[in-house]
Structure formats: structure tokens, C-alpha cells
Coordinates of all heavy atoms in Angstrom, one line a residue:
M1 N 12.7 1.5 23.3 CA 12.9 0.3 22.6 C 14.2 0.4 21.7 O 14.3 1.3 20.9 CB 11.7 0.1 21.7 CG 11.8 -1.2 20.8 SD 11.5 -2.6 22.0 CE 11.7 -3.9 20.8
P2 N 15.3 -0.4 22.0 CA 16.5 -0.3 21.3 C 16.2 -0.7 19.7 O 15.6 -1.6 19.5 CB 17.4 -1.2 22.0 CG 16.5 -2.3 22.7 CD 15.3 -1.5 23.0
R3 N 16.9 0.2 18.9 CA 16.9 -0.2 17.5 C 18.0 -1.3 17.2 O 19.0 -1.2 17.9 CB 16.9 1.1 16.6 CG 15.8 1.9 16.9 CD 16.1 3.2 16.3 NE 16.9 4.0 17.3 CZ 17.0 5.2 17.3 NH1 16.6 6.0 16.5 NH2 17.8 5.8 18.2
F4 N 17.9 -1.9 16.1 CA 18.9 -3.0 15.9 C 19.8 -2.5 14.7 O 19.4 -1.8 13.9 CB 18.2 -4.3 15.4 CG 17.5 -5.0 16.5 CD1 16.2 -4.8 16.7 CD2 18.2 -5.7 17.6 CE1 15.4 -5.4 17.7 CE2 17.6 -6.2 18.7 CZ 16.1 -6.1 18.7
S5 N 21.1 -2.8 14.9 CA 22.1 -2.5 14.0 C 22.2 -3.6 12.9 O 21.8 -4.8 13.2 CB 23.4 -2.3 14.7 OG 24.5 -2.3 13.8
N6 N 22.8 -3.2 11.8 CA 23.0 -4.3 10.7 C 24.0 -5.3 11.2 O 24.1 -6.3 10.7 CB 23.5 -3.6 9.4 CG 22.3 -2.9 8.8 OD1 21.1 -3.2 8.9 ND2 22.6 -2.0 8.0
L7 N 24.9 -4.9 12.1 CA 25.9 -5.7 12.7 C 25.3 -6.8 13.6 O 26.0 -7.8 13.8 CB 27.0 -4.9 13.5 CG 27.9 -4.0 12.7 CD1 28.9 -3.4 13.6 CD2 28.7 -4.8 11.7
D8 N 24.0 -6.7 13.9 CA 23.5 -7.9 14.6 C 23.1 -9.1 13.7 O 22.9 -10.1 14.1 CB 22.0 -7.4 15.0 CG 22.2 -6.3 16.3 OD1 23.3 -6.4 16.8 OD2 21.3 -5.5 16.5
D9 N 23.0 -8.8 12.3 CA 22.9 -9.9 11.3 C 24.3 -10.6 11.1 O 25.3 -9.9 10.7 CB 22.4 -9.3 10.1 CG 22.2 -10.4 8.9 OD1 22.1 -11.6 9.3 OD2 22.1 -9.9 7.8
P10 N 24.4 -11.8 11.4 CA 25.8 -12.4 11.2 C 26.3 -12.4 9.9 O 27.6 -12.3 9.6 CB 25.6 -13.9 11.7 CG 24.2 -13.9 12.4 CD 23.5 -12.8 12.0
D11 N 25.5 -12.4 8.8 CA 26.0 -12.4 7.4 C 26.5 -11.0 7.1 O 27.6 -10.8 6.5 CB 24.9 -12.9 6.4 CG 24.7 -14.3 6.6 OD1 25.5 -15.1 6.9 OD2 23.4 -14.7 6.2
Y12 N 25.7 -10.0 7.5 CA 26.2 -8.6 7.2 C 27.4 -8.3 8.0 O 28.3 -7.6 7.5 CB 25.0 -7.7 7.4 CG 25.3 -6.3 6.8 CD1 25.1 -6.0 5.6 CD2 25.9 -5.3 7.6 CE1 25.5 -4.7 5.0 CE2 26.2 -4.1 7.2 CZ 26.0 -3.8 5.9 OH 26.3 -2.6 5.4
A13 N 27.4 -8.8 9.3 CA 28.5 -8.5 10.1 C 29.9 -9.1 9.5 O 30.9 -8.5 9.5 CB 28.4 -9.0 11.5
R14 N 29.7 -10.3 9.0 CA 30.9 -11.0 8.3 C 31.3 -10.2 7.2 O 32.6 -10.0 7.0 CB 30.5 -12.4 8.0 CG 31.7 -13.2 7.6 CD 31.3 -14.8 7.3 NE 30.4 -15.3 8.4 CZ 29.1 -15.6 8.2 NH1 28.5 -15.4 7.1 NH2 28.4 -16.0 9.2
F15 N 30.3 -9.8 6.4 CA 30.7 -8.9 5.2 C 31.4 -7.6 5.6 O 32.4 -7.1 5.0 CB 29.5 -8.6 4.4 CG 29.7 -7.5 3.3 CD1 30.3 -7.7 2.2 CD2 29.1 -6.3 3.7 CE1 30.6 -6.6 1.3 CE2 29.3 -5.2 2.7 CZ 30.0 -5.5 1.6
A16 N 30.9 -6.9 6.6 CA 31.4 -5.7 7.0 C 32.8 -5.8 7.7 O 33.8 -5.0 7.3 CB 30.4 -5.0 8.1
W17 N 33.0 -6.9 8.5 CA 34.4 -7.1 9.1 C 35.4 -7.5 8.1 O 36.5 -7.1 8.1 CB 34.3 -8.1 10.2 CG 33.8 -7.4 11.4 CD1 32.5 -7.6 12.0 CD2 34.4 -6.4 12.2 NE1 32.4 -6.8 13.2 CE2 33.5 -6.1 13.3 CE3 35.7 -5.8 12.3 CZ2 33.9 -5.2 14.3 CZ3 36.0 -4.9 13.2 CH2 35.2 -4.6 14.3
R18 N 34.9 -8.3 7.0 CA 35.9 -8.8 6.0 C 36.2 -7.5 5.1 O 37.5 -7.3 4.8 CB 35.1 -9.7 5.0 CG 36.1 -10.4 4.2 CD 35.4 -11.5 3.3 NE 34.8 -12.5 4.1 CZ 33.6 -13.0 4.1 NH1 32.8 -12.6 3.1 NH2 33.1 -13.9 4.9
R19 N 35.4 -6.5 4.9 CA 35.7 -5.3 4.2 C 36.7 -4.4 5.0 O 37.6 -3.9 4.6 CB 34.4 -4.5 3.8 CG 34.6 -3.3 3.1 CD 33.4 -2.6 2.8 NE 32.6 -2.2 4.0 CZ 31.4 -1.9 4.1 NH1 30.7 -1.7 2.9 NH2 30.8 -1.7 5.2
Y20 N 36.5 -4.4 6.3 CA 37.3 -3.7 7.2 C 38.8 -4.3 7.1 O 39.8 -3.5 7.1 CB 36.8 -3.7 8.7 CG 37.7 -3.1 9.7 CD1 37.8 -1.8 9.9 CD2 38.4 -4.0 10.6 CE1 38.8 -1.3 10.8 CE2 39.4 -3.5 11.4 CZ 39.5 -2.2 11.6 OH 40.3 -1.7 12.5
W21 N 38.9 -5.5 7.3 CA 40.1 -6.2 7.3 C 40.9 -6.0 5.9 O 42.1 -6.0 5.8 CB 40.1 -7.6 7.8 CG 39.9 -7.7 9.3 CD1 38.8 -8.1 9.9 CD2 40.8 -7.2 10.3 NE1 38.9 -8.0 11.3 CE2 40.2 -7.4 11.5 CE3 42.1 -6.6 10.2 CZ2 40.8 -7.0 12.7 CZ3 42.6 -6.3 11.5 CH2 42.1 -6.5 12.6
R22 N 40.1 -6.0 4.8 CA 40.7 -5.8 3.5 C 41.3 -4.4 3.4 O 42.4 -4.2 3.0 CB 39.7 -6.0 2.4 CG 40.2 -5.9 1.1 CD 39.2 -6.3 0.0 NE 37.9 -5.5 0.1 CZ 36.7 -6.1 0.3 NH1 36.6 -7.4 0.4 NH2 35.6 -5.3 0.3
V23 N 40.6 -3.4 3.9 CA 41.1 -2.1 4.0 C 42.3 -2.0 4.8 O 43.3 -1.3 4.5 CB 39.9 -1.1 4.5 CG1 40.6 0.4 4.8 CG2 38.8 -0.9 3.5
M24 N 42.3 -2.7 6.0 CA 43.4 -2.7 6.8 C 44.6 -3.3 6.1 O 45.8 -2.9 6.3 CB 43.2 -3.5 8.1 CG 42.3 -2.7 9.1 SD 42.9 -1.1 9.6 CE 44.4 -1.6 10.5
G25 N 44.4 -4.3 5.3 CA 45.5 -5.0 4.6 C 46.2 -4.0 3.6 O 47.3 -3.9 3.4
W26 N 45.3 -3.2 2.8 CA 45.8 -2.2 2.0 C 46.6 -1.2 2.6 O 47.6 -0.7 2.2 CB 44.6 -1.7 1.2 CG 44.2 -2.5 0.1 CD1 43.1 -3.3 -0.1 CD2 44.8 -2.5 -1.3 NE1 43.0 -3.9 -1.4 CE2 44.1 -3.4 -2.1 CE3 46.0 -2.1 -1.7 CZ2 44.5 -3.8 -3.4 CZ3 46.3 -2.4 -3.0 CH2 45.7 -3.2 -3.8
M27 N 46.1 -0.7 3.8 CA 46.7 0.3 4.6 C 48.1 -0.3 5.2 O 48.9 0.5 5.3 CB 45.8 0.8 5.7 CG 44.8 1.7 5.3 SD 45.4 3.0 4.2 CE 46.5 3.9 5.4
G28 N 48.2 -1.6 5.4 CA 49.4 -2.1 5.8 C 50.4 -1.9 4.7 O 51.6 -1.7 4.9
G29 N 49.9 -2.2 3.4 CA 50.9 -2.0 2.4 C 51.3 -0.6 2.1 O 52.5 -0.3 1.9
V30 N 50.4 0.3 2.2 CA 50.7 1.7 2.1 C 51.6 2.1 3.2 O 52.5 2.9 2.9 CB 49.3 2.5 2.0 CG1 49.7 4.0 2.2 CG2 48.5 2.3 0.9
T31 N 51.4 1.7 4.4 CA 52.2 2.1 5.5 C 53.6 1.4 5.3 O 54.7 2.1 5.5 CB 51.7 1.5 6.8 OG1 50.4 2.0 7.1 CG2 52.6 1.6 8.0
G32 N 53.8 0.2 4.8 CA 55.2 -0.3 4.5 C 55.8 0.6 3.4 O 57.0 0.9 3.6
L33 N 55.1 1.0 2.4 CA 55.8 1.9 1.4 C 56.1 3.1 2.1 O 57.3 3.7 1.8 CB 54.7 2.1 0.4 CG 55.2 2.9 -0.9 CD1 56.4 2.3 -1.6 CD2 54.0 3.2 -1.9
A34 N 55.3 3.7 2.9 CA 55.6 5.1 3.6 C 56.8 4.9 4.5 O 57.8 5.8 4.5 CB 54.4 5.5 4.3
V35 N 57.0 3.8 5.2 CA 58.1 3.6 6.0 C 59.5 3.5 5.1 O 60.5 4.0 5.5 CB 57.9 2.3 6.9 CG1 59.2 1.9 7.5 CG2 56.9 2.5 7.9
V36 N 59.3 2.7 4.0 CA 60.5 2.6 3.3 C 60.9 3.9 2.6 O 62.2 4.2 2.6 CB 60.2 1.6 2.0 CG1 61.3 1.7 1.0 CG2 60.1 0.1 2.7
L37 N 60.0 4.7 2.1 CA 60.3 6.0 1.6 C 60.8 6.9 2.6 O 61.8 7.7 2.4 CB 59.0 6.7 1.0 CG 58.5 6.0 -0.3 CD1 57.2 6.6 -0.8 CD2 59.6 6.1 -1.4
T38 N 60.2 6.9 3.9 CA 60.8 7.7 5.0 C 62.2 7.4 5.3 O 63.1 8.2 5.5 CB 59.9 7.5 6.2 OG1 58.6 8.0 5.9 CG2 60.4 8.3 7.4
L39 N 62.5 6.1 5.4 CA 63.9 5.7 5.7 C 64.9 6.1 4.6 O 66.0 6.5 4.9 CB 63.8 4.2 6.0 CG 63.1 3.7 7.2 CD1 63.3 2.2 7.4 CD2 63.6 4.4 8.4
A40 N 64.4 5.9 3.3 CA 65.2 6.3 2.3 C 65.5 7.8 2.2 O 66.6 8.2 2.0 CB 64.6 5.9 0.9
G41 N 64.5 8.5 2.5 CA 64.7 10.0 2.7 C 65.6 10.4 3.7 O 66.5 11.3 3.7
L42 N 65.5 9.8 4.9 CA 66.4 9.9 6.0 C 67.9 9.6 5.7 O 68.8 10.3 6.0 CB 66.0 9.2 7.2 CG 64.8 9.8 8.0 CD1 64.3 8.8 9.2 CD2 65.2 11.2 8.6
F43 N 68.0 8.5 5.0 CA 69.3 8.1 4.5 C 69.9 9.2 3.6 O 71.1 9.4 3.6 CB 69.3 6.7 3.9 CG 70.7 6.4 3.6 CD1 71.6 5.8 4.5 CD2 71.2 6.2 2.2 CE1 72.9 5.4 4.2 CE2 72.4 5.8 1.9 CZ 73.2 5.3 2.9
L44 N 69.1 9.6 2.7 CA 69.6 10.6 1.6 C 69.9 11.9 2.2 O 70.8 12.6 1.9 CB 68.6 10.8 0.4 CG 68.3 9.6 -0.5 CD1 67.3 10.0 -1.4 CD2 69.7 9.3 -1.1
L45 N 69.2 12.4 3.2 CA 69.4 13.6 3.9 C 70.5 13.5 4.9 O 71.3 14.5 5.0 CB 68.1 14.1 4.7 CG 67.0 14.5 3.7 CD1 65.8 14.8 4.6 CD2 67.4 15.8 3.0
H46 N 70.7 12.5 5.6 CA 71.6 12.4 6.8 C 72.7 11.3 6.6 O 73.6 11.4 7.5 CB 70.8 12.2 8.1 CG 69.9 13.2 8.4 ND1 70.2 14.5 8.7 CD2 68.4 13.2 8.4 CE1 69.0 15.2 8.9 NE2 68.0 14.4 8.7
G47 N 72.6 10.5 5.7 CA 73.6 9.5 5.5 C 73.6 8.4 6.6 O 72.5 8.1 7.2
T48 N 74.6 7.8 6.8 CA 74.9 6.8 7.8 C 74.9 7.4 9.2 O 76.0 8.0 9.6 CB 76.1 5.9 7.5 OG1 75.9 5.4 6.2 CG2 76.0 4.7 8.5
V49 N 73.8 7.3 10.0 CA 73.8 7.8 11.4 C 73.4 6.6 12.3 O 73.3 5.4 11.8 CB 72.8 8.9 11.5 CG1 73.3 10.2 10.8 CG2 71.5 8.6 11.1
S50 N 73.1 6.8 13.5 CA 72.8 5.8 14.4 C 71.6 4.9 14.0 O 70.6 5.5 13.4 CB 72.4 6.4 15.8 OG 71.9 5.4 16.6
I51 N 71.7 3.7 14.1 CA 70.5 2.8 13.7 C 69.3 3.1 14.5 O 68.1 2.9 14.0 CB 70.9 1.3 13.9 CG1 69.9 0.3 13.3 CG2 71.2 1.0 15.4 CD1 69.8 0.4 11.9
H52 N 69.4 3.7 15.6 CA 68.3 4.0 16.5 C 67.4 5.1 15.8 O 66.2 5.1 16.0 CB 68.8 4.6 17.9 CG 69.5 3.5 18.7 ND1 70.9 3.4 18.6 CD2 69.1 2.4 19.4 CE1 71.3 2.4 19.3 NE2 70.3 1.7 19.7
L53 N 67.9 6.0 15.0 CA 67.2 7.0 14.3 C 66.2 6.2 13.3 O 65.1 6.5 13.3 CB 68.1 8.0 13.5 CG 67.4 8.9 12.6 CD1 66.7 10.0 13.4 CD2 68.3 9.3 11.6
Y54 N 66.7 5.3 12.6 CA 66.0 4.5 11.6 C 65.0 3.7 12.3 O 63.8 3.6 11.8 CB 66.9 3.7 10.7 CG 67.8 4.6 9.8 CD1 69.2 4.7 10.2 CD2 67.4 5.4 8.9 CE1 70.1 5.4 9.4 CE2 68.2 6.2 8.1 CZ 69.6 6.2 8.4 OH 70.4 7.0 7.7
I55 N 65.4 3.0 13.4 CA 64.3 2.2 14.1 C 63.2 3.1 14.6 O 61.9 2.8 14.5 CB 65.0 1.4 15.2 CG1 65.9 0.4 14.6 CG2 63.9 0.8 16.2 CD1 66.8 -0.3 15.7
A56 N 63.5 4.2 15.2 CA 62.6 5.0 15.8 C 61.6 5.8 14.7 O 60.3 5.8 14.9 CB 63.2 6.2 16.6
A57 N 62.3 6.0 13.6 CA 61.4 6.7 12.5 C 60.5 5.6 11.9 O 59.4 5.9 11.6 CB 62.3 7.2 11.4
A58 N 61.0 4.4 11.7 CA 60.2 3.3 11.2 C 59.0 3.0 12.1 O 57.9 2.8 11.6 CB 61.0 2.1 10.9
L59 N 59.2 2.9 13.4 CA 58.2 2.5 14.3 C 57.2 3.7 14.5 O 56.1 3.4 14.6 CB 58.9 2.2 15.6 CG 59.6 0.8 15.7 CD1 60.2 0.6 17.1 CD2 58.6 -0.3 15.5
G60 N 57.8 4.9 14.5 CA 56.9 6.0 14.6 C 55.8 6.2 13.5 O 54.7 6.4 13.6
V61 N 56.5 6.1 12.3 CA 55.6 6.3 11.1 C 54.6 5.1 10.9 O 53.4 5.3 10.7 CB 56.5 6.4 9.8 CG1 55.7 6.3 8.5 CG2 57.3 7.7 9.8
G62 N 55.2 3.9 11.1 CA 54.4 2.7 11.0 C 53.2 2.7 12.0 O 52.1 2.5 11.7
F63 N 53.6 2.9 13.3 CA 52.6 2.8 14.3 C 51.5 4.0 14.1 O 50.3 3.6 14.3 CB 53.2 2.9 15.7 CG 52.2 3.0 16.8 CD1 51.6 1.8 17.2 CD2 51.9 4.1 17.5 CE1 50.7 1.7 18.3 CE2 50.9 4.0 18.5 CZ 50.4 2.9 18.9
T64 N 52.0 5.1 13.8 CA 51.0 6.1 13.7 C 50.0 6.0 12.5 O 48.8 6.2 12.7 CB 51.7 7.5 13.4 OG1 52.6 7.8 14.5 CG2 50.9 8.8 13.2
M65 N 50.5 5.4 11.3 CA 49.7 5.2 10.2 C 48.7 4.1 10.4 O 47.6 4.1 10.0 CB 50.5 5.0 8.9 CG 51.1 6.3 8.5 SD 52.0 6.1 6.8 CE 50.6 5.6 5.8
M66 N 49.1 3.0 11.0 CA 48.3 1.9 11.3 C 47.3 2.2 12.3 O 46.1 1.8 12.2 CB 49.2 0.6 11.6 CG 49.9 0.1 10.6 SD 48.9 -0.3 9.0 CE 47.9 -1.6 9.6
L67 N 47.6 3.0 13.4 CA 46.6 3.3 14.4 C 45.6 4.2 13.8 O 44.4 4.1 14.0 CB 47.3 4.0 15.5 CG 46.4 4.4 16.8 CD1 45.8 3.2 17.4 CD2 47.2 5.2 17.7
T68 N 46.0 5.2 13.1 CA 45.0 6.2 12.4 C 44.1 5.2 11.4 O 42.9 5.6 11.4 CB 45.7 7.2 11.5 OG1 46.6 7.9 12.4 CG2 44.8 8.1 10.8
A69 N 44.6 4.4 10.7 CA 43.9 3.6 9.7 C 42.9 2.7 10.5 O 41.7 2.7 10.0 CB 44.8 2.7 8.8
A70 N 43.3 2.1 11.6 CA 42.5 1.2 12.3 C 41.2 2.1 13.0 O 40.1 1.6 12.9 CB 43.2 0.5 13.5
L71 N 41.6 3.3 13.5 CA 40.5 4.0 14.1 C 39.6 4.6 13.1 O 38.3 4.6 13.4 CB 41.2 5.1 15.1 CG 41.9 4.6 16.3 CD1 42.6 5.8 17.0 CD2 41.0 3.8 17.2
M72 N 40.0 5.1 12.0 CA 39.3 5.7 11.0 C 38.4 4.5 10.4 O 37.2 4.7 10.0 CB 40.0 6.4 10.0 CG 40.5 7.7 10.5 SD 39.3 8.9 11.0 CE 38.3 9.1 9.6
G73 N 38.9 3.3 10.2 CA 38.3 2.2 9.7 C 37.1 1.9 10.6 O 36.0 1.5 10.1
L74 N 37.3 1.8 11.9 CA 36.2 1.6 12.9 C 35.2 2.6 12.8 O 33.9 2.3 13.0 CB 36.7 1.3 14.3 CG 37.7 0.1 14.5 CD1 38.3 0.2 15.8 CD2 36.7 -1.1 14.4
V75 N 35.5 3.8 12.6 CA 34.5 5.0 12.5 C 33.7 4.7 11.3 O 32.5 4.8 11.3 CB 35.1 6.4 12.5 CG1 34.2 7.4 12.1 CG2 35.8 6.6 13.8
F76 N 34.3 4.4 10.1 CA 33.5 4.2 8.9 C 32.7 2.9 9.1 O 31.6 2.8 8.5 CB 34.5 4.2 7.7 CG 35.0 5.4 7.3 CD1 36.4 5.7 7.1 CD2 34.2 6.5 7.4 CE1 37.0 6.8 6.9 CE2 34.8 7.8 7.0 CZ 36.1 7.9 6.8
L77 N 33.2 1.8 9.6 CA 32.4 0.6 9.8 C 31.2 0.8 10.7 O 30.1 0.5 10.4 CB 33.2 -0.4 10.6 CG 32.6 -1.7 11.1 CD1 32.6 -2.6 9.7 CD2 33.2 -2.4 12.1
S78 N 31.3 1.6 11.8 CA 30.3 2.0 12.6 C 29.1 2.8 11.9 O 27.9 2.6 12.1 CB 30.7 2.6 13.8 OG 29.7 3.0 14.8
S79 N 29.6 3.7 11.2 CA 28.8 4.7 10.5 C 28.1 4.0 9.4 O 27.0 4.1 9.0 CB 29.4 5.9 10.1 OG 28.6 6.7 9.2
G80 N 28.9 3.2 8.6 CA 28.4 2.6 7.3 C 27.3 1.4 7.6 O 26.5 1.1 6.6
T81 N 27.4 0.9 8.7 CA 26.6 -0.3 9.0 C 25.3 0.0 9.7 O 24.5 -0.7 10.0 CB 27.3 -1.4 9.8 OG1 27.8 -0.8 11.1 CG2 28.5 -1.9 9.1
G82 N 25.1 1.4 10.1 CA 23.9 1.8 10.9 C 24.0 1.6 12.3 O 23.1 1.8 13.0
H83 N 25.2 1.2 12.7 CA 25.4 1.0 14.1 C 25.4 2.3 14.9 O 24.9 2.2 16.1 CB 26.8 0.3 14.4 CG 27.0 -0.2 15.8 ND1 26.4 -1.4 16.2 CD2 27.8 0.1 16.8 CE1 26.6 -1.6 17.4 NE2 27.6 -0.7 17.8
D84 N 25.7 3.4 14.4 CA 25.6 4.6 15.1 C 24.1 5.1 15.4 O 23.9 5.5 16.4 CB 26.3 5.7 14.2 CG 27.8 5.6 14.2 OD1 28.3 4.8 15.1 OD2 28.3 6.3 13.4
E85 N 23.3 4.7 14.5 CA 21.9 5.1 14.6 C 21.2 4.2 15.6 O 20.1 4.5 16.0 CB 21.2 5.1 13.2 CG 21.5 6.2 12.3 CD 22.9 6.0 11.6 OE1 23.3 4.8 11.5 OE2 23.6 6.9 11.1
S86 N 21.8 3.1 15.9 CA 21.0 2.1 16.8 C 21.1 2.4 18.2 O 20.4 1.7 19.0 CB 21.5 0.7 16.4 OG 22.9 0.5 16.9
I87 N 21.8 3.4 18.6 CA 22.0 3.6 20.0 C 20.8 4.3 20.6 O 20.1 5.1 19.9 CB 23.3 4.5 20.3 CG1 23.2 5.8 19.7 CG2 24.5 3.8 19.9 CD1 24.2 6.8 20.2
D88 N 20.7 4.3 21.9 CA 19.6 5.1 22.6 C 20.2 6.4 23.1 O 21.1 6.3 23.9 CB 18.9 4.3 23.7 CG 18.1 3.2 23.2 OD1 17.4 3.3 22.1 OD2 18.0 2.1 23.9
D89 N 19.7 7.6 22.6 CA 20.3 8.8 23.0 C 19.3 9.5 24.0 O 18.3 10.0 23.5 CB 20.6 9.7 21.8 CG 21.3 11.0 22.2 OD1 21.7 11.1 23.4 OD2 21.5 11.8 21.3
A90 N 19.6 9.4 25.2 CA 18.7 10.0 26.2 C 18.7 11.5 26.2 O 17.7 12.1 26.6 CB 19.2 9.5 27.6
L91 N 19.6 12.2 25.6 CA 19.7 13.6 25.5 C 19.0 14.1 24.3 O 18.8 15.3 24.2 CB 21.2 14.1 25.6 CG 21.9 13.8 26.8 CD1 23.4 14.2 26.7 CD2 21.3 14.3 28.0
D92 N 18.6 13.3 23.3 CA 18.0 13.7 22.2 C 16.5 14.0 22.4 O 15.7 13.2 22.8 CB 18.1 12.6 21.0 CG 17.6 13.0 19.7 OD1 17.4 14.2 19.5 OD2 17.3 12.1 18.9
P93 N 16.1 15.3 22.1 CA 14.7 15.7 22.5 C 13.8 15.1 21.5 O 12.5 15.0 21.9 CB 14.8 17.2 22.3 CG 15.9 17.5 21.5 CD 16.9 16.4 21.7
D94 N 14.2 14.6 20.4 CA 13.2 14.0 19.5 C 13.1 12.4 19.5 O 12.3 11.9 18.8 CB 13.7 14.3 18.0 CG 13.8 15.8 17.6 OD1 12.8 16.5 18.2 OD2 14.6 16.2 16.8
A95 N 14.0 11.9 20.4 CA 13.7 10.5 20.6 C 12.4 10.1 21.3 O 11.9 10.8 22.2 CB 15.0 10.1 21.6
P96 N 11.9 9.0 20.9 CA 10.6 8.6 21.6 C 10.8 8.2 23.0 O 11.8 7.6 23.6 CB 10.2 7.3 20.8 CG 11.4 6.9 20.0 CD 12.4 8.0 20.0

């Protein structure tokens, strides 16, 4: 018999997803700050070089931080809502 997740409740799911997107908004701000600091550091260390260095650094830092935040946010969303416990694990010897 499948167990139900808290995400099956529309009100709780709305609350959980709103919290996830709020965290993503904060991480977008932190990522923006990290990109600006990275570009400033590159400028201080190397001066005026090809614009491609700055574009690649900004995209690399920004994409990496946002992807990490999104995936970790989904892990915490799944774990925090009880969604992980609602799966049927056929390999679990203690499962009914």
C-alpha cells in the first residue's frame, strides 16, 4: 500500500513550493553578488583582458551556483515534506 506524501495536500504543497522559490530568490541574490565579486577580483588581478574571460567567468560561476542551489533545494524539499518516506522500497527487508 503506498504511503502518502505531504506534497499530496495542495495547501501544504503550495507552502513548500513557495518556500523553495523564496530560497531560490535569495540564492539568486547571493549568486549575483558572487558573480560581481568574481568579476571584480578578475579585473583587479588581470586588468583589462578579453571580454570573453569575464563572460565565461560570470556564466560559469552563476550557472554552477544556481544549479547547486536548485538541486540542493529539491533535496531539502523532498526530505522536509516527507516525500522521501512515501516511496515503496522493494529492497527494504523491513517493508510490509
Side-chain angles (χ1 to χ4, degrees):
M1 180 80 185
R3 294 167 282 198
F4 294 101
S5 165
N6 286 336
L7 290 177
D8 293 332
D9 177 22
D11 292 330
Y12 191 82
R14 192 175 312 110
F15 164 75
W17 282 108
R18 195 174 300 134
R19 183 177 54 191
Y20 171 79
W21 286 112
R22 186 174 53 240
V23 168
M24 286 301 293
W26 278 103
M27 283 309 298
V30 170
T31 299
L33 180 64
V35 167
V36 168
L37 291 174
T38 300
L39 295 179
L42 283 173
F43 183 75
L44 290 174
L45 289 174
H46 301 290
T48 305
V49 293
S50 174
I51 187 70
H52 299 99
L53 171 76
Y54 296 109
I55 292 171
L59 289 176
V61 170
F63 180 75
T64 301
M65 285 187 66
M66 289 306 292
L67 180 64
T68 303
L71 293 176
M72 287 304 295
L74 289 173
V75 167
F76 290 132
L77 174 86
S78 178
S79 175
T81 60
H83 192 68
D84 290 347
E85 289 81 21
S86 69
I87 63 160
D88 290 328
D89 188 4
L91 300 176
D92 185 14
D94 298 329

